[in-house]
Amino acid sequence: MPKPKLPVSLSERDPERSLEFEFIRATENAALNAIHWLGRGDKEGADAAACDAISGCFDHVDMCGEVVIGEGIKDNAPGIFLGDRLGNWKRGSPRFNIALDPIDGTTNISKGMPNSISVLAGVLAPAQGTAMLNIPTFYSEKLSYGPKVAEAFKQDKALRFDLDTPTPEIVAKTARILGKEGKQIVVIVLDRPRHGKLIQELRACGAALRLITDGDITAALAPSLPDSGVDLCMGIGGSPEGVLTAAALRALGGDLQLRMWVRDDEERRRIARDPAAKRLKHIFRSDEIVTGPSAIFCATGISASWLLPGVRLIGRKAITHSILMRARSRTVRHIVAEHDLDHKTIYLRSQRLEARV
Ligand code: VTB
């Protein structure tokens, strides 16, 4: 008698389904390992702690993960870099392209300020190339908006705007789409001298600003969160953060427009031979930045942001808040975890052992 063929398991057919929960464990562990650095004036210490926990967590996961967007492009700090491997690379394990920022907002952590998260994104690796755009410039121009605006763009061409649209028109069109007045529009901008003109223009058309010091992933996602009170995020910020933002927006339904921004001649020379340099003028959308049928985005709050509350320490318990989403199903999970610090351990790559938090 021929053996009946077993149905292919769902996790075999769709490896994201089970692996996505390992992503949560990784960012939770990063947040728990970094929380002790909150307010201690040591960005590198916090970053190293988060990286150690993420690498350690994946050391036990059957995954062939290649970091295609890592740290080091901007920070030059300890980190998980482009080309690094995550997972145990057991033969036959699913191959993933990984983008991560073990901590977005290291300065915020070091100063004990809000708006820091640990964040990871993953996409099943395509047969050729990578599913995440390689952006060789340090910075990119970015403009993000929520699902209502993205939907209106599809319905009515006249309502569309892009990175080249004058600021007053962007504000006016956003207001029209959202049924608000211009002065009710709330825009997040990184507080940097390079944004002087943008800030002036936004103020001149009556928009209200939320100026932030760092952490423009949570900022760029805020317009796509139902209760953030934020309508737009505009300005020039880190390019890797743009890729992580795009992964999340593919699940949240908003969009990001991104264009590489060359900061000086030295950078122009450095990137000249990169194939991406041919597309300096192109305005990329989320689905061109993170391609393929799906993407996982996962983040845990370290200190409070639009996206997530920070880690709360109550006696011997630590409470973490995480968000996990998948572009394929558009499921957005909010996961609150209570960690008993008398029992909890985190496997750290540096020590190759389970360590107490
Ligand atoms: C932003 C912000 C980051 O870098 O992308 C910013 O989200 C941009 O660079 O948290 P500058 O600080 O040079 O303006 C961070 O602040 C740090 O990576």
Side-chain angles (χ1 to χ4, degrees), residues 77-333:
I80 301 174
F81 299 103
L82 181 74
D84 282 356
R85 287 175 161 205
L86 291 176
N88 59 13
W89 281 67
K90 197 164 114 191
R91 254 179 101 184
S93 306
R95 282 184 52 228
F96 271 84
N97 291 162
I98 306 280
L100 83 174
D101 201 346
I103 300 178
D104 185 29
T106 45
T107 305
N108 297 346
I109 288 208
S110 72
K111 293 184 176 171
M113 286 168 61
N115 199 14
S116 60
I117 57 168
S118 178
V119 54
L120 264 172
V123 180
L124 263 181
Q128 274 178 355
T130 63
M132 289 161 172
L133 182 70
N134 160 45
I135 307 176
T137 52
F138 213 71
Y139 294 106
S140 292
E141 293 173 74
K142 302 186 237 181
L143 166 61
S144 75
Y145 38 82
K148 264 196 180 163
V149 176
E151 193 48 43
F153 281 14
K154 287 187 203 145
Q155 305 298 333
D156 186 351
K157 266 187 177 175
L159 290 172
R160 290 183 192 166
F161 53 80
D162 65 26
L163 281 168
D164 289 324
T165 307
T167 305
E169 195 179 322
I170 293 179
V171 171
K173 284 184 167 167
T174 305
R176 211 172 126 205
I177 295 166
L178 300 179
K180 294 183 174 182
E181 287 176 40
K183 66 173 191 299
Q184 292 173 314
I185 294 298
V186 175
V187 189
I188 307 182
V189 178
L190 270 169
D191 194 4
R192 298 288 189 275
R194 62 177 179 265
H195 292 148
K197 182 165 168 261
L198 173 65
I199 290 170
Q200 238 179 27
E201 288 170 355
L202 285 166
R203 290 237 162 88
C205 54
L209 294 185
R210 303 287 181 267
L211 291 170
I212 58 164
T213 56
D214 290 280
D216 72 352
I217 299 175
T218 62
L221 298 184
S224 296
L225 304 172
D227 51 4
S228 68
V230 174
D231 304 304
L232 293 166
C233 179
M234 299 173 76
I236 295 162
S239 298
E241 286 87 346
V243 178
L244 286 154
T245 302
L249 288 178
R250 288 204 36 208
L252 289 173
D255 209 356
L256 167 75
Q257 298 185 16
L258 177 148
R259 181 166 54 200
M260 293 176 239
W261 191 76
V262 183
R263 62 180 164 171
D264 54 26
D265 288 343
E266 202 278 309
E267 182 165 74
R268 193 173 296 280
R269 273 195 298 277
R270 185 175 58 77
I271 67 165
R273 290 224 188 98
D274 193 305
K278 290 201 182 75
R279 309 195 75 192
L280 283 180
K281 295 205 173 113
H282 186 71
I283 297 177
F284 292 91
R285 313 282 157 145
S286 300
D287 58 0
E288 296 171 283
I289 301 170
V290 175
T291 57
S294 191
I296 303 169
F297 174 93
C298 162
T300 300
I302 305 175
S303 59
S305 67
W306 277 283
L307 189 64
L308 292 159
V311 177
R312 284 181 62 204
L313 294 169
I314 305 169
R316 295 296 299 149
K317 290 243 162 83
I319 319 248
T320 54
H321 293 80
S322 306
I323 191 165
L324 173 65
M325 33 191 156
R326 279 221 297 167
R328 185 191 301 278
S329 57
R330 293 214 174 182
T331 307
V332 179
R333 291 188 166 88

